[in-house]
Amino acid sequence: MDHAPEPDLDPMPHLVRHVAGLAYDDLPPSAVAAAKTFTLDTLGVGIAGANGTGVDALRALAQTWGEGREASVWGSGIRLPAATAAFVNGYQVHSLEYDCVHERAVLHPMAAVLGAMMAAAERRVARDEPPIDGRTFLAALAGGVDFATFLGFAARGPLRFFRPSTAGGFGAAAGVARMLGHDEATIASALGIQYSQTSGTMQPHVEGSPCLALQVGLAGRAGLVSADLAAAGFKGPSDILTGRHGYFRLIERDVFDVAAEIGRIGREFQVEELAHKPFPSGRLTHGTVDALMQFTSRLGIGADDIAELRCLVPPVVFRQVGRPDIPAPDPNYAKLCIPFVGATYLRHGRVDVGEFLGEAMLTDPKTHEIAARIRVEEDGNPDQNAMTPQRFVLTLTDGSRHELTLDHVYGHPRSPLSAADNVDKFMRNWGTVPGLPAGNAERVVELVESLETVADVTAIGRLMVPASAA
């Protein structure tokens, strides 16, 4: 609803207390398991992100922005100042559209949060300060995800800004500040300072610009810097969410409901609500791939048997990925186009990193011929943030008609990847970067799976480099 909350509905005190006080022992086993699952998933996606648009140029440029071997760039031998490493790694994580998502919040929280936290942890070790152990890391990660996702699921209007960067930056600031042991006042200041750095629009999404992932990297860097500024004594504004010019007023169009959602914080852990992305494309395209997988398996059909596929989807899906197919899309546009992504599955029998690399893949005439048979229509769902249900109507060349409704798309917590599939996705992502030792991948899996026993989380980052740079 569009309303002006009373002062006692300011969620900041509750959110800050939650982040500052959250300890590993407060997390149920299910939240710990989910945090480890999506840590591994995000690390793998960040490795594969070395194949993202302009990564080589970005890495080269980042090395000119100041000296300091504080933190590693995943999948390379490059070490940078921590804030710069957080920026590059955040970009890599989101550059392939392969990172996990909180569907109710319409938000990818882990790219900014994990990138910033790993960089800050590495910086401590580089400065000969006590390392961050796995239990501290997991509690801080859960708190950062809770803060970021609250900003998404308490909103009630359509997306205006890009939440993985706007809300994600708050999650990064919260996660870093909690991980470094800051008190409530310092965490609150870090979040206030972060609001002054908040940015990220939906225009790059509309155009398929790589600036979409750059915004995520910038949010991770900003979150780390915000925590540093607060620790140095800078005081941020306090009424940053529901104040006169607060986040919900400006970023979320003054359409939100704090009272209905604040009770979730501390009672539920939002890391358990993260959804995998089984395919390296916009999450909102995945329903179409899921439906096509089910149709082709059940009916024993292929692309040439399909006359038309109608995809009836909620407004947010239609707005963000119901875009028309074009003959020569950039990779970022193609990943956010339902007709192209659906046609890619029908053409190749899979949707993986390689299907969006190279001009031959992106301009393949057969793929575009199939895409012309896939129609996307808005279904009139009144919830501006709902990703489901999605309904699909398939008409075959023999005239037969088949329907399917998805209440949860493959990868959602209620239709999840198995633990083995999560590891398989990580290993496939690892294998996209030449020179990374396979044995190191296995060791990363072992460390993440037992993260609560790890004395120094930077042991993970030290494995994520080519053999030549070890």
Side-chain angles (χ1 to χ4, degrees), residues 30-258:
S30 54
V32 172
K36 293 191 291 187
T37 290
F38 289 104
T39 293
L40 184 68
D41 180 68
T42 305
L43 293 173
V45 169
I47 288 286
N51 299 287
T53 301
V55 167
D56 289 342
L58 182 64
R59 289 174 171 179
L61 179 61
Q63 292 177 79
T64 72
W65 288 346
E67 297 181 358
R69 295 177 54 80
E70 294 178 329
S72 57
V73 174
W74 301 342
S76 77
I78 299 169
R79 293 188 66 83
L80 298 170
T84 309
F87 166 63
V88 177
N89 289 333
Y91 175 80
Q92 289 187 191
V93 170
H94 196 64
S95 64
L96 298 181
E97 286 286 348
Y98 213 1
D99 49 321
C100 60
V101 62
H102 189 289
E103 293 192 359
R104 191 162 181 264
V106 195
L107 165 65
H108 306 263
M110 289 289 285
V113 174
L114 188 66
M117 288 181 59
M118 289 290 287
E122 287 194 71
R123 183 179 63 185
R124 284 177 66 88
V125 173
R127 294 178 175 179
D128 294 323
E129 297 173 354
I132 301 297
D133 64 84
R135 291 164 68 94
T136 299
F137 190 87
L138 287 165
L141 180 71
V145 170
D146 279 350
F147 195 102
T149 53
F150 175 81
L151 299 186
F153 61 70
R156 292 293 185 264
L159 288 174
R160 181 182 186 184
F161 291 86
F162 188 52
R163 285 185 192 147
S165 51
T166 56
F170 284 98
V176 170
R178 165 62 184 87
M179 182 183 75
L180 297 180
H182 298 332
D183 60 19
E184 284 188 31
T186 306
I187 292 173
S189 277
L191 293 163
I193 294 166
Q194 178 59 31
Y195 186 40
S196 295
Q197 300 196 74
T198 296
S199 63
T201 80
M202 289 299 293
Q203 193 60 35
H205 194 289
V206 171
E207 298 182 18
S209 165
C211 279
L212 199 68
L214 284 177
Q215 292 179 160
V216 175
L218 291 167
R221 181 176 70 180
L224 194 157
V225 169
S226 294
D228 285 351
L229 287 167
F234 287 89
K235 182 174 174 57
S238 59
D239 197 3
I240 60 170
L241 298 184
T242 57
R244 180 182 300 178
H245 302 288
Y247 178 90
F248 286 119
R249 305 287 188 196
L250 302 184
I251 303 297
E252 293 295 351
R253 305 188 186 205
D254 210 12
V255 185
F256 60 98
D257 194 341
V258 165

Side-chain angles (χ1 to χ4, degrees), residues 35-41 43 138 443-452 454 460:
K36 293 191 291 187
T37 290
F38 289 104
T39 293
L40 184 68
D41 180 68
L43 293 173
L138 287 165
R443 182 59 180 147
V444 170
V445 172
E446 292 170 359
L447 286 173
V448 174
E449 288 181 345
S450 59
L451 193 53
E452 68 273 24
V454 173
I460 295 169

